[in-house]
Amino acid sequence: VDYLRGGSDEPRTRYVVVTGPGTAFDGERATRLDEIHDGPSNTLLLVESPGDPVDWMRPDDIAPEELVRLLATTPREAFPHGGRFFALLANGEVRSLSRDLPPETLRGLCTIDGGEPADGF
């Protein structure tokens, strides 16, 4: 938890789940590892969003297009790690990623079976 305070007495966080069509969290049913055809090491589950912190207990997720937009429009100095953000991959690995990832690479990392190349992230 990023225990950021702001207008609320509740703990706040910048970590959000990537959700939406084609992602690992696409609806009500859980995605099994064997359903991640792009490979668990190429699939984002959770990201540190450069957006405003959210209440820790509020289910506030992020869609791939919103993540792409935030990364493109948020100034580098607004990122807590010098233009980088942390991401949890489906294989359990945590990576520090650049905000300068090409949008097509980022979109590909958000999906489980799009077949997009994820080289160089």
Side-chain angles (χ1 to χ4, degrees):
V1 176
D2 200 346
Y3 293 110
L4 302 169
R5 306 277 180 186
S8 170
D9 289 335
E10 296 299 317
R12 298 175 63 75
T13 185
R14 291 185 192 277
Y15 292 91
V16 291
V17 173
V18 178
T19 61
T23 69
F25 297 97
D26 181 2
E28 299 289 324
R29 190 181 69 77
T31 299
R32 296 185 326 265
L33 280 177
D34 66 348
E35 295 175 309
I36 302 177
H37 299 286
D38 288 347
S41 63
N42 294 319
T43 304
L44 297 178
L45 297 182
L46 181 96
V47 295
E48 180 182 26
S49 169
D52 292 331
V54 297
D55 289 338
W56 170 250
M57 294 302 292
R58 188 174 82 199
D60 198 352
D61 306 319
I62 194 163
E65 285 306 316
E66 175 67 5
L67 180 59
V68 168
R69 185 192 67 74
L70 279 173
L71 292 178
T73 60
T74 303
R76 182 178 298 281
E77 57 274 4
F79 284 76
H81 312 290
R84 301 189 70 78
F85 65 99
F86 288 112
L88 172 68
L89 299 167
N91 68 349
E93 180 183 7
V94 175
R95 299 269 310 258
S96 171
L97 303 178
S98 172
R99 75 176 285 278
D100 299 324
L101 274 174
E104 59 276 2
T105 300
L106 187 58
R107 285 184 196 100
L109 289 170
C110 289
T111 63
I112 64 171
D113 64 359
E116 306 91 347
D119 299 333
F121 78 97

